[in-house]
Amino acid sequence: MTRQEKATVIEDLTAQLADSSTIYLADISGLDAAATSDLRRACFKADIRLAVVKNTLLAKAMDASEKEFGELPEVLKGNTSIMFSETGNAPAKLIKNFRKKSDKPLLKGAYIAEAIYVGDDKLDTLVNIKSKEEMIGEVIGLLQSPAKNVISGLKSGGGKLAGILKTLSEKE
């Protein structure tokens, strides 16, 4: 690979790092061709971009990026695949699901909305992160709950009041 090609790859990686708020680093070495193909297909269906990168080029792209990646450049050893996603927990769910068939991919680290997770032991934590859509749904549900309680109270209270008035009118 010539210097010009390396510079182009670093520029492309830097742009992708800047555009994405969710970045996962994984080790998929040891997967055979069929398993790798299955992983790529699963990533495509889940709207996750998967690429195998050279560690040195990715480290240079991380340095050139305006984001702070903390300890992530230190995990760039051995084979590294990078996953870009719009949803914070989608790659973690995909990795966990894919591990039912195989012991790979291994999570090296993740960068999610300025939070950094290093190590495969953080996979369960990442799976449980709620996506933006899930959080919005919860907030809307919480906001609607008091209004629903007031409305149901008014409806039931009105029925009770009408029943009391009816009973009182029948006594006379």
Side-chain angles (χ1 to χ4, degrees), residues 18-151:
D19 290 343
S20 186
S21 63
T22 302
I23 301 161
Y24 279 68
L25 302 175
D27 178 8
I28 63 169
S29 64
L31 290 178
D32 61 2
T36 304
S37 179
D38 290 344
L39 178 64
R40 289 184 180 278
R41 201 171 295 116
C43 285
F44 181 77
K45 286 180 184 175
D47 199 25
I48 299 169
R49 289 174 294 160
L50 174 70
V52 177
V53 294
K54 286 187 66 101
N55 292 332
T56 54
L57 299 180
L58 181 56
K60 288 179 182 179
M62 284 179 168
D63 287 339
S65 175
E66 295 180 10
K67 294 180 179 178
E68 181 58 44
F69 290 103
E71 302 167 18
L72 283 184
E74 297 169 16
V75 301
L76 297 176
K77 293 174 178 63
N79 293 334
T80 304
S81 298
I82 189 164
M83 296 177 170
F84 298 102
S85 176
E86 296 300 318
T87 308
N89 62 358
K93 286 181 179 179
L94 182 120
I95 289 170
K96 189 164 183 141
N97 208 17
F98 201 79
R99 280 208 200 153
K100 292 176 182 173
K101 301 176 217 165
S102 171
D103 60 338
K104 297 276 182 163
L106 294 174
L107 179 69
K108 289 183 169 187
Y111 173 89
I112 301 170
E114 299 180 10
I116 296 167
Y117 302 88
V118 176
D120 194 56
D121 58 328
K122 302 284 192 267
L123 186 63
D124 289 329
T125 304
L126 292 169
V127 167
N128 294 326
I129 288 178
K130 295 193 181 202
S131 68
K132 182 179 177 181
E133 291 77 20
E134 290 170 333
M135 290 299 293
I136 289 172
E138 274 190 25
V139 169
I140 289 173
L142 290 171
L143 290 174
Q144 287 179 342
S145 179
K148 286 181 181 176
N149 289 342
V150 168
I151 291 170

Side-chain angles (χ1 to χ4, degrees), residues 155-165:
K155 284 182 179 177
S156 67
K160 287 180 186 176
L161 186 60
I164 292 170
L165 290 174

